[in-house]
Amino acid sequence: MEKILKELEQTDREVTTRRYFLQQSIGHLGAMALGGMMMGCDMFKGDTSTSKDSFRLSHFAPKAKRVIFLHMSGAPSQLELFENKPLLRDLDGQDCPPSLLEGKRFAFIVGTPKMLGPYAEFNQYGQTGSWVSNHMPYFQQSVDEVTFLRAMHTDEFNHAPAQLFMHTGGPRTGRPSFGSWVTYGLGSENENLPGFIVLASGDAIPSAGKSIWGSGFLPSQYQGVQCRSEGDPVLYISDPAGMPRDLRKAAIQTISDINRVQHQEMGDPEILSRIEQYELAFRMQTTVPEAMDISREPDYIHQLYGTTPGQNSYANNCLLARRLAERGVRFIQLYHADWDTHGSNSNEALEIGFVNRCKETDQATTALLTDLKQRGMLDDTLVVWGGEFGRTPMAENRGGKKAPFKGRDHHKEAFTMWMAGAGVKQGFSFGETDEIGYYGTKDRVHVHDLQATILHLMGLDHEKLTYAFQGRNFRLTDVHGKVVHQILS
């Protein structure tokens, strides 16, 4: 409390001294001049409300109320999961044809690599006869729920830029993430929980770091809040020792009052974001522990997901995603690391590490679809699964040398993602690749198209969801993207 009083005293001195007045006058004169030159740009355009009035209407009637985005960080191989290519098996071990290499850029391939047949067995499942490998035995039973996008493509072939491109619409840091755009456009349905929550599992966070759930140039209240399935769900959410709740509440109220005075003087909308973050953090102290406590779930649910309370696991995070969705969280982002299969060591081997990643995720992913459906939530929840790019049909030969294990290089020209739930067709495949899965030959879908389609299902027009920054209107899809109407139900 003493520190707060000193801060208030310092603030009072600043606003009443001549030196401060002159400093601010100079800045304000420059801002007035700039404002005159940029008339109509509205540099501070955007929502500055707090949670009490943060719910906003969509551009049109949405099909989905919320999104659960399951990102497999490192890019799983579509050729070992969903793309059955018998010709590629026949070509195993042969030199890659020069036509597949000329004019192409790869992350690690040098010289002439060998073709690599699939390390998987494929069969058709469901009424639609969708091809799925033996590495996904649980998911085989859910293929009639999903729409496969079999000819996805992107602009980036390295992990960090590709992950940024997938989740922010650009390959460099500084742009708002997907969840930030959605919560900026629609607000939150629960004033006691963040509208955008992130759950990460595996041995590491994605290569692009926490920028892929940052708010970029949007107000910071829209950034993703990372929660944990092990230990305190949010760092520092517990009251410090000796700090009773009523004193903590009084401290937050005092800080908010000081910030409101500063906002009246400065007019900076980021100050309102700061107020909201302090107040939301206080409300989260009671709501987050309850929402994140999966031990409250019955035994049959734990058996369905394969969960163990207290662990940092993908299975626990899938169950948490359902609990958060029930409580009105708008955008739930799951990341599971270590899908990078170069074949340089056992953890990056298609025959070892890749198989382990499938075992870690297959049951829980399928359980999430099953659980949402039996609760009637799949009708208004959109589930998205995929990595940042695909893998090559030729083997990795880093430095021109054969890898010690089976592995594939990064590939931006063709990969598979799937979507299920609100607004998308069931048991549907869109797009085709050639006989070896190298290039999309029909109904290709660009990352910006995927982004436009997800926003459309949320009731948002990707061309109208904009934010004025540095003299122009920015949007998630940059100046690209078209809604893939063919997959909509």
Side-chain angles (χ1 to χ4, degrees):
M1 185 63 69
E2 182 180 354
K3 182 178 179 181
I4 295 173
L5 291 174
K6 287 183 178 180
E7 183 180 343
L8 180 59
E9 183 179 356
Q10 177 64 26
T11 302
D12 182 65
R13 289 175 180 172
E14 288 179 349
V15 299
T16 56
T17 62
R18 181 172 58 184
R19 178 176 297 177
Y20 182 80
F21 171 76
L22 293 174
Q23 288 175 342
Q24 295 304 303
S25 296
I26 294 171
H28 290 161
L29 287 172
M32 290 172 62
L34 182 61
M37 292 185 290
M38 300 180 63
M39 187 66 69
C41 288
D42 192 7
M43 296 177 65
F44 292 117
K45 179 181 178 182
D47 176 47
T48 58
S49 62
T50 57
S51 61
K52 293 181 180 179
D53 60 348
S54 61
F55 180 81
R56 290 179 292 282
L57 295 176
S58 56
H59 294 137
F60 43 83
K63 295 289 185 68
K65 289 184 178 180
R66 65 197 70 88
V67 174
I68 301 176
F69 199 126
L70 310 174
H71 181 83
M72 305 297 109
S73 175
S77 170
Q78 75 281 8
L79 299 170
E80 270 70 36
L81 290 178
F82 308 119
E83 290 291 279
N84 182 37
K85 301 296 180 182
L87 178 60
L88 186 60
R89 193 180 301 275
D90 296 338
L91 295 174
D92 184 52
Q94 297 184 26
D95 286 346
C96 177
S99 60
L100 300 183
L101 305 173
E102 293 174 354
K104 300 294 183 182
R105 296 178 64 194
F106 300 95
F108 297 104
I109 286 176
V110 176
T112 303
K114 302 291 185 181
M115 302 301 292
L116 180 62
Y119 185 79
E121 298 297 329
F122 284 85
N123 279 297
Q124 291 176 285
Y125 297 92
Q127 296 181 353
T128 55
S130 297
W131 290 99
V132 180
S133 82
N134 60 309
H135 297 315
M136 292 281 188
Y138 287 92
F139 183 72
Q140 292 166 359
Q141 311 309 314
S142 294
V143 293
D144 287 341
E145 297 293 337
V146 310
T147 281
F148 288 100
L149 301 174
R150 298 187 179 274
M152 286 291 303
H153 64 107
T154 182
D155 295 353
E156 305 297 326
F157 61 80
N158 281 321
H159 293 294
Q163 290 166 3
L164 285 165
F165 197 71
M166 176 67 70
H167 295 288
T168 73
R172 289 170 291 278
T173 59
R175 294 174 64 97
S177 59
F178 211 138
S180 296
W181 277 112
V182 169
T183 51
Y184 162 68
L186 296 175
S188 176
E189 288 188 312
N190 187 332
E191 67 174 19
N192 297 321
L193 287 171
F196 176 21
I197 288 182
V198 178
L199 302 166
S201 55
D203 291 338
I205 63 172
S207 301
K210 297 182 179 181
S211 295
I212 51 177
W213 60 79
S215 58
F217 46 72
L218 290 177
S220 56
Q221 71 192 71
Y222 300 116
Q223 68 184 0
V225 175
Q226 184 179 4
C227 294
R228 307 183 303 166
S229 55
E230 181 181 23
D232 281 346
V234 179
L235 293 176
Y236 312 115
I237 195 170
S238 301
D239 288 322
M243 172 70 78
R245 292 282 295 168
D246 56 347
L247 182 58
R248 186 69 174 265
K249 183 177 181 180
I252 295 296
Q253 183 61 52
T254 302
I255 293 171
S256 295
D257 290 343
I258 294 171
N259 284 327
R260 287 189 178 92
V261 171
Q262 188 176 19
H263 176 259
Q264 291 175 357
E265 297 169 353
M266 308 297 295
D268 184 354
E270 189 62 24
I271 297 174
L272 291 180
S273 295
R274 187 193 312 160
I275 294 171
E276 166 60 13
Q277 287 168 335
Y278 272 114
E279 295 180 349
L280 175 60
F282 180 76
R283 296 193 301 270
M284 285 170 58
Q285 287 189 297
T286 56
T287 56
V288 167
E290 182 277 330
M292 302 290 287
D293 185 5
I294 64 171
S295 66
R296 300 168 181 255
E297 296 287 336
D299 289 341
Y300 81 91
I301 289 293
H302 290 297
Q303 293 174 8
L304 177 66
Y305 283 85
T307 47
T308 302
Q311 290 185 349
N312 176 22
S313 69
Y314 178 81
N316 283 10
N317 287 347
C318 282
L319 180 50
L320 285 172
R322 189 267 287 163
R323 290 177 62 85
L324 294 170
E326 286 179 311
R327 288 156 176 79
V329 176
R330 184 79 68 182
F331 201 98
I332 306 160
Q333 181 74 66
L334 272 65
Y335 293 99
H336 190 65
D338 292 339
W339 285 94
D340 200 15
T341 46
H342 290 288
S344 57
N345 56 59
S346 60
N347 194 51
E348 293 186 350
L350 286 172
E351 65 269 40
I352 303 174
F354 178 81
V355 175
N356 291 336
R357 299 298 88 74
C358 292
K359 291 178 179 178
E360 291 164 2
T361 60
D362 179 34
Q363 178 181 352
T365 298
T366 308
L368 177 61
L369 294 177
T370 302
D371 199 9
L372 290 172
K373 184 176 181 180
Q374 68 185 11
R375 293 169 189 271
M377 294 177 61
L378 199 57
D379 293 337
D380 57 10
T381 302
L382 180 66
V383 181
V384 184
W385 183 99
E388 59 265 34
F389 44 63
R391 315 301 297 201
T392 58
M394 60 282 283
E396 174 99 9
N397 67 336
R398 189 172 304 198
K401 299 178 181 179
K402 181 181 178 181
F405 297 92
K406 294 182 183 295
R408 303 183 186 278
D409 202 356
H410 308 166
H411 191 49
K412 68 176 186 176
E413 299 293 348
F415 61 107
T416 300
M417 296 183 67
W418 58 257
M419 304 167 68
V424 297
K425 294 179 179 178
Q426 295 177 303
F428 185 68
S429 288
F430 186 73
E432 297 177 7
T433 57
D434 57 31
E435 292 181 308
I436 59 172
Y438 184 75
Y439 194 80
T441 57
K442 180 182 178 182
D443 295 330
R444 301 176 78 211
V445 176
H446 188 266
V447 167
H448 286 314
D449 301 334
L450 175 72
Q451 294 162 345
T453 304
I454 295 174
L455 290 178
H456 177 84
L457 290 167
M458 296 290 288
L460 295 169
D461 185 331
H462 74 106
E463 295 183 349
K464 294 180 180 178
L465 182 64
T466 62
Y467 190 86
F469 177 68
Q470 293 184 338
R472 78 174 180 91
N473 287 333
F474 281 81
R475 69 189 206 211
L476 173 63
T477 53
D478 195 25
V479 295
H480 309 285
K482 60 182 184 298
V483 176
V484 187
H485 291 282
Q486 297 93 323
I487 70 171
L488 303 183
S489 59

